[in-house]
Amino acid sequence: MSTSTPLRTALIGVALAATALVPLQGTALAAPSGTGTAATTATTSAASSSSVSGIEDATALALARSLADPDWSREVRRAALAADSVGLGALADDATASAGRKLAARITAADRGVAAAKGLGSGAGSLLRLGLADASMRNRLASGAAPLVAAAPSDDDGAATFTAYDSRGTAHELPLDSATDRPVYLVDIDGAKAVAEGLKVIDKTLESKGLGLPAPSAGAGLSAASGIDTTRIDSVRLGDVEEPFFKGDAEIFTLVTGFGKDGKPRVDTVEMPYLNKEDTTYYPGQVLVNWSDYKYDMADAVMMEDDGDTNYQALAKAIAAVLLTITDQGAYIPLVDALLNAIPTNWWTDDPDYVESWYTLARSSSGQRNGAAGNGWMTVSPYHVPEL
């Protein structure tokens, strides 16, 4: 059963209103096109933006200029060659070169800005990281080629190029669809850490609205000695996870929704840090649904990916605003459409990407279940978790 037309209209209206909750994404000043030679000195509006992409761009420009210090440049090179990704804050804090030490305070402020832009708490810590855009650049970097620095570009805005900076602060337009001859450092966020902290924010916010409270023990339908019934993911595989060559691993999470014991819609978050490559089968044995928290033997699942500017506080508020308008009609109705319509329309760009959804997963569901979008499947099975 799908949501009614009037309800869908109301949901879309709430979604449009919720867009005001999200910081405006900074717009980079386009540099003249070229063939990889220096373009113009970048003074972009993105550099002063409070969005994640704007903060990343401003940090990339500051880092690029700091690499004019040869001692600091060597420290960064060694760190980039030693690991796929390094914490930018820790790198600057541990710097022996003066340029790195001077950069440390700016990176600390940028980390705070990222946490605020993503609606995370003060305990999120350092989120900005640095790594090479592609592993093929390692040899050129090791041989001493002067690197460029760029913010991790969006893969969904239709652009064919992205902007990288050299140590003079000069902008270079680089192609998105292939690795360049010159090594490029990417300033990005720790996606796994951001998702873990973000899902905590969603859980806390929805619980405060009464949409994610644990079921009372008296109404759980299970004795303390019997344990709980769950649905477990035995294997899962996705097709396109929307990640181009320069973005690295996907950061996937799932929102499970249904009606709680109190008759209100509820949303449970499921972190999936292992699910980071397309066309790869994973065997997590992960619990997806805890049926003791649900009124009906049916639930839905929406799988998403955090690509950048996702504000988890705003996402939670938008979801709550929609789900609080839905009442229990005495029979299970799918909530996937309501959940998707709750997401502000301007988020259907780089953050968060919709990956896949599953309607009406039952407590008895077993075997392969194909996603509604045809982009993935998972095999599930009932799994009883006994009391210790």
Side-chain angles (χ1 to χ4, degrees):
M1 181 187 302
S2 61
T3 52
S4 64
T5 299
L7 178 57
R8 286 181 61 85
T9 301
L11 297 178
I12 294 171
V14 173
L16 291 173
T19 60
L21 297 170
V22 185
L24 293 176
Q25 181 164 327
T27 303
L29 181 67
S33 59
T35 58
T37 57
T40 58
T41 300
T43 54
T44 68
S45 59
S48 59
S49 171
S50 60
S51 70
V52 174
S53 56
I55 295 168
E56 288 176 343
D57 187 80
T59 304
L61 178 57
L63 175 61
R65 286 173 168 160
S66 74
L67 295 180
D69 179 338
D71 293 333
W72 171 234
S73 182
R74 281 191 292 270
E75 287 187 51
V76 175
R77 177 184 286 109
R78 284 195 298 269
L81 291 173
D84 292 337
S85 180
V86 296
L88 193 51
L91 182 62
D93 287 340
D94 295 338
T96 58
S98 60
R101 295 195 299 271
K102 290 178 182 177
L103 193 64
R106 181 162 191 164
I107 293 173
T108 298
D111 272 322
R112 289 197 296 265
V114 168
K118 293 186 72 62
L120 303 177
S122 57
S126 180
L127 291 168
L128 289 168
R129 299 188 67 81
L130 183 75
L132 279 170
D134 191 72
S136 65
M137 300 173 177
R138 293 179 64 84
N139 289 338
R140 292 190 293 277
L141 181 66
S143 67
L148 300 172
V149 186
S154 165
D155 54 309
D156 292 331
D157 60 9
T161 63
F162 66 104
T163 303
Y165 306 104
D166 63 26
S167 60
R168 294 176 297 174
T170 302
H172 301 252
E173 291 300 301
L174 305 178
L176 277 174
D177 59 358
S178 62
T180 62
D181 291 337
R182 191 168 177 179
V184 180
Y185 293 140
L186 282 187
V187 174
D188 204 351
I189 64 167
D190 185 334
K193 186 176 183 180
V195 168
E197 294 297 320
L199 296 190
K200 292 178 185 176
V201 170
I202 292 178
D203 290 340
K204 183 176 180 180
T205 302
L206 294 181
E207 284 186 11
S208 72
K209 303 292 184 181
L211 296 173
L213 295 174
S217 57
L222 295 166
S223 68
S226 65
I228 59 173
D229 288 331
T230 71
T231 289
R232 180 176 64 181
I233 303 173
D234 297 316
S235 61
V236 59
R237 185 182 181 93
L238 296 176
D240 187 6
V241 294
E242 312 294 338
E243 290 296 270
F245 82 93
F246 52 79
K247 290 299 281 290
D249 290 342
E251 305 298 343
I252 302 292
F253 62 94
T254 295
L255 304 177
V256 177
T257 185
F259 286 90
K261 294 291 185 180
D262 57 2
K264 294 180 181 179
R266 66 174 289 125
V267 177
D268 291 302
T269 60
V270 181
E271 188 179 351
M272 306 176 113
Y274 57 88
L275 189 55
N276 50 29
K277 299 292 184 185
E278 62 187 34
D279 296 325
T280 302
T281 303
Y282 296 88
Y283 302 90
Q286 180 182 30
V287 169
L288 181 66
V289 187
N290 175 0
W291 292 107
S292 65
D293 287 330
Y294 288 84
K295 178 178 180 179
Y296 301 107
D297 287 348
M298 292 282 185
D300 305 321
V302 176
M303 190 177 287
M304 311 197 77
E305 179 199 4
D306 178 351
D307 254 352
D309 279 326
T310 311
N311 184 309
Y312 287 93
Q313 185 68 53
L315 176 58
K317 289 180 178 179
I319 291 172
V322 169
L323 294 188
L324 284 171
T325 68
I326 300 173
T327 58
D328 182 10
Q329 301 297 314
Y332 175 77
I333 59 173
L335 298 177
V336 169
D337 291 346
L339 194 63
L340 294 180
N341 283 330
I343 298 170
T345 53
N346 67 340
W347 289 12
W348 293 98
T349 52
D350 194 40
D351 52 285
D353 283 329
Y354 166 73
V355 176
E356 188 54 276
S357 55
W358 287 265
Y359 289 73
T360 58
L361 289 169
R363 186 194 291 241
S364 60
S365 291
S366 182
Q368 183 170 316
R369 290 291 304 270
N370 295 325
N375 191 41
W377 54 260
M378 59 182 173
T379 58
V380 298
S381 61
Y383 181 67
H384 183 76
V385 181
E387 182 82 5
L388 285 175

